[in-house]
């Protein structure tokens, strides 16, 4: 009976793709706005697609080379007969190519619809806040549902095609390549997109806002189109590829852990459970999305003075809570259906399905906790952002010092939350025991480890909705730029500004969600790697990774160093590309004074295409080195020092990556929103220059063009490569370390028997 459950993810995956297509059709039928809006939108579209085409051609070449190398290595060094080695090699290589293709396709299609949604959102903003909110959210949801559906379908179909129904214990090890291919593409997509967007953003902000004293998205800024393009290639395509590989790698890791329990019980339900949970998550996310309706949005003129941004955020929050509540129900339903007749035994009178339902609930609660922890550190409502804004009164240096201190501080609460979730889910899962004569290794607690896997699946159930909120961010950002550049009335800009501020919050929340899921999955993927080693060696000692072993210690130190060195390369790449952008913007202002002519009729358009080209070339060149180093380091360590050393690198490198990504993401987000806090007019001082309440009617407003604002812009530009390049790329690197070691475990074991 359990085998029939494989149809749940396949059917739901197909329905989710149909749902995404219907959302795309509903958005693309909307009005595209005035000719001026369409002109700006077309420039953004052409720049984004040109960059993505060039980027994916480069990534495709690298992917084909990587697939050939992986297949060759597995054939030459894996154990078994020639037929066994050939089967492992070609199955893994095909899975790698399919994973890479699906990852690229999901990012490409999602970004296409997102770019087409921006002018439609700008046009909708001329009519109502509710319509603009729905258009932008559903435009973002196309990416969210495609990413999760293609990941789910890819893993499910490969599992079935690789004889998973007749031989469930072997198939998961053959489809590891799917996760590796997804991670490989995601790393380069996130790196390239992040470098592109921040090079343009830094150049546009420092020269436009600070030096030229012109507003954000002003058409006189030569870098403005490149900046708007960057929002899409970084936040849409890059983040889509990131979460695609998250769902793929973590599903496959959980399935590998399920193989051990299948061996003990004879039930494939333990292997299929992650796929069924992802399917239930898609259903929950679709209902949560549809619960946000135009009729439920209170228009600003009827809201008794309430901030339109708060109105929009409340609707998104309601949708998220509905998704989480339904996901919680789905965890228990799925656990009951798949584990209800299991040979496992639950303690304290509770059935195994109840214990694992509680474990999944822990993951859902962690996702909610991460949302609110991230919001605390990156929203202007709370102390950290206001502290940075106050520090801007004394200049850029204190702004940067304050932001770094907030970045270091913001690591503590998320790590405590992760530790509690891992410990509690392991504890709950430990209450499930399996037949003692099943051949399970005695060195581990399989029930507890599987509990952490179930918690990870619970956290990922809301992935489609969270990714919809993330892509909502660049859509509304672009809509604001289009509104500004097409000279729309101030009332329209007020609506797009409100949605843009919400989008900044949702993008920060998504980064927190992404690193939270990566952190929760770290133990899952690490355990899966040890299970793979055990399957080759049959030696329970592989489950003991001893830091007193000199090779393990060296590998662990190299893993931690990789995190810092990789972050350095990513940030340096932004710095170099931004320098070129700054020089180009200054050159255009200097050589063509008519760009800044006082009379509108005397002005000429700057050379936007030149800035787009600078960002494109800089990003494509700069993404190669950090990406190659990230791929080669775990391979070199496992090959030279052995599989246990590879485990040490994976364990400590993942821990370091989690902490560093939290610092970069939240620190950068706090700098960004401190700037927006000032731009919104909330930084107020008394006659002595002391900070007063943001709503104090007697306070002196220090807004745009003030010295405090200029200092906050400098802080924001420092945080830009933190939160949009290095930080998100570390999400991918963490899981890339796991998928590489999982795929190449046969090589490491063969070289170090």
């Amino acid at each position: 009976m359990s085998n029939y459950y494989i149809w749940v993810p396949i059917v739901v995956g197909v329905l989710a793709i149909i749902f995404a297509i219907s959302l795309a059709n509903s958005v693309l039928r909307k009005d595209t706005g005035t000719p001026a809006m369409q002109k700006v939108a077309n420039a953004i579209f052409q720049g984004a697609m040109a960059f993505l085409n060039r980027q994916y051609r480069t990534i495709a070449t690298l992917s084909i080379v990587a697939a050939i190398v992986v297949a060759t290595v597995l054939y030459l060094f894996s154990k078994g007969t020639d037929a066994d080695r050939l089967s492992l090699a070609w199955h893994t290589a095909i899975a790698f190519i399919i994973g890479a293709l699906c990852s690229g396709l999901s990012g490409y299609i999602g970004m296409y619809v997102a770019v087409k949604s921006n002018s439609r959102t700008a046009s909708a903003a001329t009519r109502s806040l509710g319509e603009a909110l729905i258009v932008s959210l559903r435009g973002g949801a196309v990416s969210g549902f495609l990413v999760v559906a293609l990941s789910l379908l890819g893993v499910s179909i490969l599992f079935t095609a690789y004889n998973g129904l007749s031989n469930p214990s072997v198939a998961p090890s053959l489809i590891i390549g799917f996760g590796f291919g997804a991670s490989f593409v995601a790393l380069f997509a996130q790196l390239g997109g992040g470098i592109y967007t921040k090079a343009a953003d830094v150049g546009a902000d420092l020269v436009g806002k600070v030096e030229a004293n012109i507003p954000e998205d002003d058409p006189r800024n030569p870098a403005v189109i490149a900046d708007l393009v960057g929002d899409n290639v970084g936040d849409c395509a890059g983040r889509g590829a990131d979460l695609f590989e998250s769902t793929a790698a973590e599903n496959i890791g959980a399935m590998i852990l399920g193989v051990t329990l299948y061996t003990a019980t004879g039930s494939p339900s333990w292997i299929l459970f992650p796929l069924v949970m992802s399917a239930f998550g898609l259903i929950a996310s679709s209902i949560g999305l549809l619960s946000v309706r135009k009729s439920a949005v209170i228009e600003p003129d009827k809201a008794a003075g309430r901030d339109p941004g708060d109105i929009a955020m409340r609707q998104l929050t309601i949708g998220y809570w509905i998704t989480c509540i339904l996901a919680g129900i789905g965890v228990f339903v799925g656990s009951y259906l798949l584990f209800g007749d299991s040979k496992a035994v639950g303690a304290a009178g509770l059935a195994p399905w109840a214990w694992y339902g509680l474990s999944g609930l822990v993951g859902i609660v962690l996702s909610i906790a991460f949302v609110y922890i991230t919001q605390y550190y990156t929203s202007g409502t709370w102390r950290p952002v206001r502290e940075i804004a106050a520090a801007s009164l004394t200049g850029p240096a204190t702004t940067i010092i304050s932001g770094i201190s907030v970045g270091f501080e913001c690591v503590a609460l998320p790590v405590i939350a992760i530790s509690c979730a891992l410990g509690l889910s392991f504890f709950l899962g430990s209450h499930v025991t399996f037949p003692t004569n099943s051949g399970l290794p005695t060195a581990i607690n399989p029930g507890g480890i599987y509990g952490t896997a179930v918690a990870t699946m619970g956290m990922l159930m809301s992935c489609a909705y969270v990714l919809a909120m993330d892509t909502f961010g660049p859509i509304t950002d672009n809509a604001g730029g289009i509104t500004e550049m097409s000279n729309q009335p101030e009332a329209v800009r007020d609506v797009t500004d409100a949605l843009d501020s919400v989008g900044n919050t949702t993008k920060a929340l998504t980064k927190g969600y992404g690193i939270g899921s990566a952190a929760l999955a770290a133990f899952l993927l690490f355990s899966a790697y040890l299970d793979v080693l055990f399957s080759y060696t049959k030696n329970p000692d592989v489950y003991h990774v001893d830091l007193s072993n000199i090779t393990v210690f060296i590998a662990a130190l190299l893993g931690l160093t990789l995190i810092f060195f990789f972050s350095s390369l990513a940030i340096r790449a932004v710095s170099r590309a931004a320098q070129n952008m700054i020089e180009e913007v200054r050159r255009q202002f200097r050589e063509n004074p008519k760009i800044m002519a006082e009379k509108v009729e005397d002005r000429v358009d700057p050379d936007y295409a030149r800035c787009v080209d600078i960002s494109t070339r800089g990003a494509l060149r700069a993404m190669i080195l950090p990406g190659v180093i990230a791929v080669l380091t775990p391979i070199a360590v496992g090959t030279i020092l052995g599989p246990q050393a590879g485990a040490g690198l994976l364990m400590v490198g993942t821990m370091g990556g989690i902490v560093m990504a939290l610092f970069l993401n939240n620190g950068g987000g706090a700098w960004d929103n401190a700037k927006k806090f000032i731009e919104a007019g909330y930084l107020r001082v008394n006659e002595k220059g002391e900070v007063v309440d943001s709503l104090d009617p007697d306070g002196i407003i220090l807004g745009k063009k003030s010295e405090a604002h200029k200092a906050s812009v400098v802080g924001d530009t420092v945080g830009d490569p933190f939160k949009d390049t290095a930080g998100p790329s570390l999400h991918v690197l963490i899981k890339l370390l796991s998928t590489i070691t999982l795929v190449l475990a046969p090589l490491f074991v063969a070289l170090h028997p």
Side-chain angles (χ1 to χ4, degrees), residues 544-557 644-645 647-649 651-652 655:
H544 299 288
V545 183
D546 188 358
L547 280 174
S548 67
N549 181 320
I550 187 63
T551 58
V552 174
F553 185 88
I554 291 170
L557 188 60
Q644 289 298 98
L649 177 140
M651 177 174 60
V652 177
M655 292 177 181

Side-chain angles (χ1 to χ4, degrees), residues 253 256-257 260 426 444 448-450 452 521-534 543 650 738 742:
I256 291 172
L257 294 181
T260 303
F426 187 91
I444 60 171
I449 292 174
Y450 198 76
T452 66
F523 187 72
L524 180 163
L525 294 170
F526 177 68
S527 300
Y529 173 67
L530 298 182
D531 271 6
V532 170
L533 292 183
F534 180 78
Y543 288 104
L650 175 58
S738 299
L742 283 169

